[in-house]
Amino acid sequence: MKKYEHIFDTRNLQSDLKGRSLRSGAITLGSQAIQFILQLGSTMILARILSPEDYGINAMAMTITGFAGMFSSFGLATATVQRADINHEQVSILFWINVLIGVLITVMVAAISPVVAWLYNSPEMLKVILALSVIFTITGLSVQHHALLNRQMKFFSIVSVDVVSMLAGLIVAIIAGYYGFGYWSLVFNVLINATINALGYWICCRWLPGLPRRDSSVIDMVRFGSNLVGSNIVNYFPRNLDNILIGRYHGSDALGLYSKAYQLLMMPITNLRHPMARIAIPSLSRLQNNPEQYRSYYLKCVSLLAFLSMPLVAFMFVCSDLLIDLILGSQWNGASQIFKILAITAFIQPVFSTYEMILISSGRGKSYLILSVVTALVVCVSFVAGLPWGPIGVAAFYASANYLIAFPTLYYAFKKTSITIRKFIWAIYRPSFSSLIMAVGYFLIQPLMSDMTTIFSLVIGFFISTTLYIIVFVSLPGGIAEILEFYSYVKLILRTSNKF
């Protein structure tokens, strides 16, 4: 339909793709900061209203809905974003497929609710699971609207809806908790959040789906989406197997130290990596038919991500004792060694995981699935191999596995592109070298600050580390030019000539 051509046509984005990407990244990071503050504030309030039992019931329910949620979009949202050309009829078919999948998941989750209640020996779970099962139908109604906003890089609309829906859900939860609704307060939070999200995406997108018609071209998109779902399922197990093994063979104390160390380390890393991927995938998808621009855009993304993440991880590695003592308390000091080993992995993980951007944006869903299976097997074997040495052994073998598969993974991902391993290394060598020198330098001067308080030591240490990192960075060939380019990104973000 001609009235919707502007929604599907993305040619207008390529005239200012760089600026749009940078401003989108800034908006997404700002949104995450707001959501983090809202989440932290609501947690402080709800923790004083609700009981641990209420949170326990919610956590048990989320294990079921979380796994089922991996199937809700069936990868069709990414297929819509990735596709170079798409039309109203195709997206309408995908919309009805997503609705059907949402309804089926709702029915299946509702059907197993008695089993879940019996398994957890918690009668309350029956009604909770039944109520939460509705979110899959609600989500299914808005998957394609969210995908179209993403495709058009209208991230201001997306994050506005996300923040409003989150705020509404939390307000309802706090009011319900205050009036004694207990664990239902947390259920209301999820339902309100999902409902306002769906309504918001419909309002911002302004697209009405048509009736489904037979279209053979959609089969390729469904196949691509199914490969992504398969990859997510495969990746689900290595992300959770380490916790299962440590808890089973070394007890809850060891698991507590390991999981807290991992959670603390990944919190800032995730908040850098996820916004980057969220912006980069639709941008790279628009450039998939232009190899030179595609390569340039990707390498600049990697360089910027390395510039931000590598010194941060290096600083956290050196200051692990201080960070854990400040954030978690002295009773968690046993997590420091685990934290250090996991930081060795986190040093390269954000930049090496960008292979996912390549495979998804270029439509290589099957390759992504194959690579997910191989890497999952290697990581799972590393968990088992390190298990005899407890959480430290698991962390150490996990780090070794990540370094072992890093370059073969990149080689496989780059194989059908204009990107090479050599260019990738050139994009990250300045941040990586500068971060390592910074870590060594700060490690040598750290004993001089032993008499300072924890907070003061971290503030002074961060200032010294940042200064040392920048000095080393600009001393390397091309360092000043790259810093100036990053500065130009900031100026470009501040421009307000283009609207979202």
Side-chain angles (χ1 to χ4, degrees):
M1 296 178 66
K2 290 186 177 181
K3 64 180 289 189
Y4 293 128
E5 282 182 0
H6 66 286
I7 295 177
F8 305 107
D9 188 5
T10 58
R11 287 173 296 181
N12 63 303
L13 301 178
Q14 299 192 24
S15 60
D16 185 35
L17 191 60
K18 178 181 176 180
R20 186 176 291 270
S21 298
L22 289 169
R23 291 190 294 275
S24 297
I27 287 173
T28 305
L29 282 172
S31 166
Q32 286 199 292
I34 294 172
Q35 291 183 63
F36 176 79
I37 294 170
L38 289 175
Q39 190 68 53
L40 184 63
S42 64
T43 298
M44 294 173 66
I45 297 172
L46 288 171
R48 289 161 172 78
I49 298 175
L50 306 180
S51 68
E53 183 182 0
D54 295 329
Y55 277 101
I57 292 172
N58 181 69
M60 288 188 288
M62 288 301 158
T63 59
I64 306 300
T65 58
F67 183 79
M70 291 192 297
F71 301 89
S72 59
S73 75
F74 206 71
L76 300 182
T78 306
T80 298
V81 173
Q82 184 276 329
R83 190 86 167 186
D85 296 301
I86 200 168
N87 57 48
H88 173 72
E89 288 73 21
Q90 291 171 328
V91 181
S92 294
I93 295 172
L94 297 181
F95 169 84
W96 292 110
I97 292 174
N98 279 132
V99 172
L100 177 60
I101 291 172
V103 172
L104 289 175
I105 296 176
T106 293
V107 172
M108 292 174 64
V109 171
I112 66 170
S113 58
V115 179
V116 175
W118 170 80
L119 182 65
Y120 282 115
N121 193 26
S122 174
E124 299 91 345
M125 290 295 294
L126 176 62
K127 293 181 180 179
V128 170
I129 294 293
L130 284 173
L132 289 175
S133 67
V134 180
I135 63 174
F136 299 108
T137 297
I138 297 172
T139 302
L141 288 165
S142 64
V143 168
Q144 289 303 315
H145 292 79
H146 178 266
L148 289 172
L149 290 171
N150 200 349
R151 178 181 172 85
Q152 287 288 341
M153 300 186 71
K154 294 184 176 180
F155 292 103
F156 183 78
S157 298
I158 293 174
V159 300
S160 297
V161 172
D162 291 345
V163 169
V164 170
S165 61
M166 182 180 187
L167 180 61
L170 292 174
I171 290 174
V172 170
I174 292 171
I175 294 173
Y178 178 79
Y179 283 101
F181 282 86
Y183 56 83
W184 282 106
S185 307
L186 303 174
V187 176
F188 295 157
N189 177 26
V190 176
L191 292 172
I192 293 296
N193 197 327
T195 302
I196 295 182
N197 250 314
L199 289 173
Y201 294 149
W202 272 70
I203 293 170
C204 292
C205 184
R206 297 185 179 181
W207 171 72
L208 294 176
L211 295 175
R213 299 178 182 178
R214 185 183 297 274
D215 189 332
S216 59
S217 63
V218 173
I219 296 176
D220 290 336
M221 300 174 69
V222 173
R223 188 179 296 114
F224 173 75
S226 63
N227 284 326
L228 294 187
V229 173
S231 300
N232 290 336
I233 295 171
V234 169
N235 289 327
Y236 178 85
F237 295 100
R239 288 172 184 164
N240 294 275
L241 183 61
D242 50 350
N243 290 328
I244 294 172
L245 291 174
I246 292 172
R248 173 67 177 81
Y249 291 99
H250 294 281
S252 58
D253 288 343
L255 177 58
L257 293 173
Y258 180 88
S259 61
K260 273 298 181 184
Y262 186 87
Q263 181 185 21
L264 180 61
L265 179 67
M266 292 307 297
M267 191 183 301
I269 301 303
T270 301
N271 285 328
L272 284 174
R273 183 176 60 189
H274 284 186
M276 181 76 75
R278 188 176 185 180
I279 306 301
I281 289 175
S283 300
L284 288 169
S285 298
R286 305 290 75 78
L287 298 173
Q288 58 185 299
N289 295 323
N290 192 324
E292 294 302 315
Q293 289 188 24
Y294 186 96
R295 179 182 64 196
S296 176
Y297 187 98
Y298 169 75
L299 292 175
K300 286 178 180 178
C301 282
V302 169
S303 179
L304 180 59
L305 184 57
F307 180 79
L308 296 173
S309 68
M310 286 183 162
L312 178 60
V313 173
F315 175 75
M316 294 172 74
F317 173 87
V318 179
C319 299
S320 62
D321 294 340
L322 295 173
L323 286 169
I324 287 175
D325 183 61
L326 176 66
I327 298 174
L328 302 180
S330 58
Q331 70 272 25
W332 292 93
N333 287 343
S336 180
Q337 193 64 31
I338 303 170
F339 185 93
K340 279 187 168 71
I341 298 172
L342 290 173
I344 296 173
T345 308
F347 187 72
I348 66 163
Q349 207 173 47
V351 292
F352 278 95
S353 65
T354 57
Y355 74 87
E356 297 176 358
M357 299 179 188
I358 300 292
L359 296 174
I360 293 174
S361 64
S362 58
R364 294 160 59 192
K366 186 177 181 180
S367 297
Y368 185 34
L369 177 58
I370 292 172
L371 200 54
S372 296
V373 171
V374 173
T375 55
L377 287 173
V378 173
V379 169
C380 288
V381 169
S382 74
F383 290 153
V384 176
L387 192 59
W389 292 273
I392 290 178
V394 171
F397 275 80
Y398 175 57
S400 301
N402 273 272
Y403 279 86
L404 178 66
I405 64 177
F407 283 105
T409 298
L410 289 175
Y411 176 78
Y412 181 81
F414 294 162
K415 211 162 55 170
K416 297 181 180 181
T417 70
S418 59
I419 306 166
T420 63
I421 295 291
R422 187 177 70 85
K423 290 186 180 296
F424 177 88
I425 293 175
W426 179 255
I428 68 168
Y429 102 89
R430 278 185 290 267
S432 57
F433 182 80
S434 303
S435 298
L436 292 174
I437 297 299
M438 178 203 79
V440 172
Y442 181 63
F443 179 78
L444 293 175
I445 66 173
Q446 195 178 37
L448 301 177
M449 298 185 291
S450 58
D451 294 332
M452 298 180 183
T453 62
T454 300
I455 296 178
F456 196 61
S457 294
L458 285 171
V459 172
I460 296 298
F462 184 78
F463 175 78
I464 293 173
S465 298
T466 303
T467 304
L468 182 58
Y469 174 70
I470 295 298
I471 290 173
V472 176
F473 193 96
V474 298
S475 301
L476 295 173
I480 295 177
E482 191 162 9
I483 288 287
L484 290 175
E485 184 173 12
F486 292 153
Y487 176 66
S488 73
Y489 295 168
V490 176
K491 293 196 296 183
L492 201 55
I493 289 171
L494 297 177
R495 281 171 46 190
T496 57
S497 57
N498 292 324
K499 305 296 181 181
F500 287 90

